[in-house]
Amino acid sequence: MSRPARVLVLNSGSSSLKYQLIDMDSGDRLASGLVERIGERSSRVVHTPLAPAGGRRERTERVADHGEALRAASAELRADGLGLDSPEVAAVGHRVVHGGPRFTEPALVDDDVLAEIEKLVPLAPLHNPANLMGIRTARELRPDLPQVAVFDTAFHATMPEHAYRYAVDTATADAHLVRRYGFHGTSHAYVSRRAAELLGRPLEDTNVIVLHLGNGASASAVAGGRCVDTSMGLTPLEGLVMGTRSGDIDPAVVFHLSRVAGMGIDEIDELLNKKSGLVGLCGDNDMREIRRRIDEGDRAAELAFAVYTHRLRKYIGAYTAVLGRVDAVVFTAGVGENAAEVREAAVAGLEGFGLAVDAGRNAVRSGEPRLVSPEGARVAVAVVPTDEELEIARQTFALASSRDGGPEKRHA
Ligand SMILES: Nc1ncnc2c1ncn2[C@@H]1O[C@H](COP(=O)(O)OP(=O)(O)O)[C@@H](O)[C@H]1O
Ligand SMILES: CC(=O)OP(=O)(O)O
Ligand SMILES: [Mg+2]
């Protein structure tokens, strides 16, 4: 039998589990799926095998937690002959959102790594518990299989101290691990590399600003393939305006709401993480719906769009200053890849920086990396679809295949 070359990638969100089974020899996605509304009264399980075409299955049932979600996914895979029990599976790759100061590279999971991820739960209370449950359940299902944790924070570990340190009392900050970590690193790494390829430049000599605009959104400044600054901070709340998160605000808003509005700390946490951003400004967090409402003359939707794109322009300006020379501004993830109006508005007025979009190119819809700036522009504007799952699968497969490299290579 040929060596096992399939990797199951798990991406656990706070209330969802996305999975893909990828064949590393062919690059094929043998199956993908999604369990949504985990923990709610009725959850949705959607499973799509590569073959047969049209073999998509969907059902609703109650899925109590991420452990049950993985068991449901595993049953779907098994029904297609692609179960975790199959000898062709080489490893499971887990997206872990917070790796703290320690994990600057992917880690082969053992009890020590699990304990460390557990310690970081207070820094990512919505994400790390779900990630842990996915890892524990996968280990139960196939105890002999290598499990690899790939951290959202890892790519940002190269930031210089003046970028990651907050101007907060050093002793307090150090005692409580308070600093900028940054997230969506797997996407920023993948997209900045693909952008250099698109430009036909060596990665080592390419400076890009990556705008990852999904439900969560973050910007990063990447110089020669290394992150030098990023907009998310201690947690995924800082920086850009997001679907439901505020991004940058004056921290004194928290004191004010506590003292003047009498709100509790958990209530404010929920306000800023779940009831702010686009949804807080206009009631919708889906950019498609916001564009539709703007076309109907809806004032709140217009304002939400304006606040969102104003923040993007500020970060493009700031990271242009951080990088000194910018070769490309690159848009990715759900909004970045699809919303031409957002790309146009994000660079509007930045001609002085060499930035502009060509209306015809910007209107093209495609799943391929592409330039949307005018021919001969000083700074390229590009769309590069992200693929966090493929990147996690690659890092997982590389580490699982080199397992004899010794435990010291497994984590920093
Ligand atoms: N065709 C589209 N036009 C505009 N926005 C879109 C389109 N498709 C998706 N989006 C936006 O992308 C968001 C989801 O992005 P995605 O990267 O999938 O998010 P996440 O991985 O954080 O769940 C949606 O909330 C929506 O705002
Ligand atoms: C870290 C983070 O914000 O992730 P997501 O965009 O998946 O919510
Ligand atoms: Mg995402």
Side-chain angles (χ1 to χ4, degrees), residues 18 213-216 285-288 333-335 338-339 365:
K18 294 184 207 160
L213 312 178
N215 238 320
N285 62 345
D286 193 309
M287 193 50 81
R288 286 163 288 201
V335 176
N338 294 297
R365 300 189 61 83

Side-chain angles (χ1 to χ4, degrees), residues 273-285:
N273 273 294
K274 298 193 172 160
K275 298 180 180 165
S276 298
L278 294 170
V279 93
L281 288 166
C282 76
D284 269 308
N285 62 345

Side-chain angles (χ1 to χ4, degrees), residues 11 18 95 184 212 388:
N11 181 348
K18 294 184 207 160
R95 175 187 181 206
H184 296 136
H212 175 108
E388 291 163 282

Side-chain angles (χ1 to χ4, degrees), residues 35-85:
V35 185
E36 282 186 307
R37 301 198 297 269
I38 296 171
E40 292 179 33
R41 207 165 327 136
S42 111
S43 320
R44 193 165 76 108
V45 183
V46 185
H47 176 84
T48 311
L50 178 66
R56 183 176 185 278
R57 303 191 288 274
E58 179 174 340
R59 64 201 156 79
T60 40
E61 63 179 37
R62 186 169 145 69
V63 178
D65 58 35
H66 284 78
E68 265 190 37
L70 178 52
R71 288 179 196 282
S74 169
E76 291 295 335
L77 288 162
R78 202 173 326 113
D80 289 328
L82 299 169
L84 260 185
D85 51 346

Side-chain angles (χ1 to χ4, degrees), residues 6-9 19-23 27-33 77 81-84 86 88-91:
R6 292 179 181 172
V7 174
L8 178 66
V9 176
Y19 60 93
Q20 287 191 6
L21 182 69
I22 303 180
D23 184 293
D28 286 343
R29 321 262 147 157
L30 301 172
S32 61
L77 288 162
L82 299 169
L84 260 185
S86 133
E88 283 137 310
V89 179

